[in-house]
């Protein structure tokens, strides 16, 4: 029994060493082929010979020899689960957490039940509709964390409106005024609008509003408050790891 135990321990140690070596091979190959990419995490995928590489809110698959890079969904045909989406949910939440709420415009409810990240465009009709119903979201206990995604792109009128709102003394009030159609005097300052846009693009945004739930799921378009609550309270088969502490962190003073 003792010999078997020692053999098992040695086998696990060897496996761990090999896995670490393969991870370093993938990391080295990526550094050489794509020097601008800085992986946040590299780990084994469910499919032997493939490694998951997380870069911000993106997920790639790379062969263990570091030669091949792939994008797309990995589906478990037995369980009918999209394994890639689960990992992407974690990656999205990780990227949002890394950005930090100090770089978002937050509307807080009296009693917090849920958190929703909303990529918004000040000139978008449905974005304005969502904002006009802010009281309903807050009544549902949903904290709205706004990020900007001016669809017309950098240096557009919508872009400068977003910068102006961010540079206002009271950002929440300025955002409401801008969404009500008021033309605010243009202001400039250090702002996270470009970071917001880059993150939205990494998540595949092609319209606004784009909602990212506390579970890391993407909901394209406007969703009424009661429906959003219902969707966020539906429990998935497996909750993404990063989703477990999102609301708990929001409750901290």
């Amino acid at each position: 029994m003792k010999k078997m135990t020692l053999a098992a321990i040695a086998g696990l140690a060897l496996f761990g060493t090999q896995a670490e070596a393969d991870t370093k091979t993938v990391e080295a190959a990526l550094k050489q082929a794509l020097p601008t990419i800085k992986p946040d995490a590299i780990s084994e995928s469910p499919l032997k010979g493939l490694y998951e590489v997380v870069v911000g809110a993106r997920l790639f698959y790379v062969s263990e020899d570091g030669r091949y890079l792939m994008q797309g969904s990995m589906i478990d045909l037995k369980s009918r689960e999209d394994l890639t989406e689960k990992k992407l949910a974690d990656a999205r939440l990780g990227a949002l957490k890394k950005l930090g709420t100090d770089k978002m415009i937050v509307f807080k409810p009296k009693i917090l039940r849920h958190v929703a990240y909303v990529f918004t465009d000040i000139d978008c009709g449905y974005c304005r509709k969502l904002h006009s119903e802010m009281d309903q979201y807050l009544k549902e206990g949903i904290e709205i964390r706004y990020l900007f995604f001016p669809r017309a792109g950098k240096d557009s009128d919508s872009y400068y409106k977003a910068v102006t709102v961010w540079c206002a003394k009271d950002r929440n009030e300025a955002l409401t005024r801008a969404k009500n159609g008021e033309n605010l005097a243009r202001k400039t300052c250090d702002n996270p609008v470009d970071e917001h846009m880059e993150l939205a693009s990494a998540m595949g945004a092609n319209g606004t509003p784009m909602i990212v739930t506390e579970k890391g799921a993407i909901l394209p378009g406007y969703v009424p408050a009661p429906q959003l609550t219902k969707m966020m309270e539906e429990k998935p088969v497996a909750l993404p790891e990063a989703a477990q502490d999102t609301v708990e962190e929001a409750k901290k003073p």
Side-chain angles (χ1 to χ4, degrees):
M1 178 64 72
K2 186 176 181 181
K3 289 182 179 180
M4 289 179 64
T5 302
L6 291 174
I9 292 174
L12 288 172
L14 180 62
F15 176 79
T17 302
Q18 181 61 47
E20 184 178 350
D22 289 340
T23 298
K24 290 186 179 299
T25 298
V26 170
E27 185 176 9
L30 283 173
K31 188 175 182 179
Q32 182 176 0
L34 304 167
T36 59
I37 287 184
K38 308 292 183 185
D40 293 304
I42 300 175
S43 59
E44 293 180 278
S45 79
L47 183 62
K48 183 176 176 60
L50 277 186
Y51 280 74
E52 297 170 343
V53 179
V54 176
V55 182
R58 292 186 173 97
L59 175 67
F60 306 98
Y61 293 104
V62 179
S63 59
E64 61 186 353
D65 61 2
R67 181 175 178 180
Y68 300 99
L69 183 148
M70 290 159 278
Q71 286 182 274
S73 296
M74 182 182 292
I75 310 295
D76 184 329
L77 294 178
K78 187 174 182 180
S79 64
R80 304 291 182 179
E81 291 181 276
D82 186 334
L83 304 180
T84 301
E85 178 56 30
K86 287 184 179 180
K87 290 290 183 178
L88 277 173
D90 255 338
R92 292 174 194 130
L93 292 175
L96 287 163
K97 184 176 181 179
K98 185 176 181 180
L99 179 69
T101 53
D102 59 326
K103 291 186 177 180
M104 303 175 193
I105 298 179
V106 182
F107 285 77
K108 293 179 174 289
K110 290 182 179 179
I111 299 176
L112 178 66
R113 296 188 179 90
H114 300 288
V115 171
Y117 302 88
V118 180
F119 286 88
T120 191
D121 180 336
I122 290 173
D123 292 324
C124 151
Y126 276 104
C127 295
R128 290 186 172 187
K129 178 174 176 58
L130 187 154
H131 192 75
S132 71
E133 298 172 0
M134 182 58 67
D135 287 346
Q136 297 179 35
Y137 292 97
L138 299 182
K139 186 177 180 181
E140 290 282 338
I142 302 173
E143 179 173 298
I144 299 295
R145 299 177 177 179
Y146 273 125
L147 302 93
F148 290 111
F149 184 57
R151 296 169 300 172
K154 187 175 175 65
D155 295 330
S156 64
D157 189 43
S158 295
Y159 174 86
Y160 287 116
K161 286 181 181 180
V163 172
T164 294
V165 167
W166 183 263
C167 297
K169 185 175 181 180
D170 186 332
R171 294 168 184 158
N172 293 57
E173 179 190 34
L175 182 59
T176 297
R177 289 167 60 194
K179 282 184 176 290
N180 286 338
E182 186 175 338
N183 290 318
L184 305 179
R186 183 177 291 189
K187 293 184 178 182
T188 59
C189 65
D190 289 335
N191 64 84
V193 177
D194 287 352
E195 291 179 78
H196 292 176
M197 294 172 68
E198 183 179 347
L199 184 53
S201 295
M203 293 185 185
N206 53 23
T208 52
M210 183 180 81
I211 300 171
V212 182
T213 73
E214 63 200 17
K215 299 172 185 175
I218 286 181
L219 306 176
Y222 158 79
V223 180
Q227 185 179 344
L228 182 57
T229 297
K230 183 178 179 181
M231 295 173 78
M232 291 200 290
E233 290 181 350
E234 290 177 351
K235 294 184 178 180
V237 176
L239 191 65
E241 294 175 11
Q244 297 174 11
D245 59 358
T246 301
V247 175
E248 292 304 316
E249 286 188 1
K251 289 180 180 177
K252 295 178 182 178

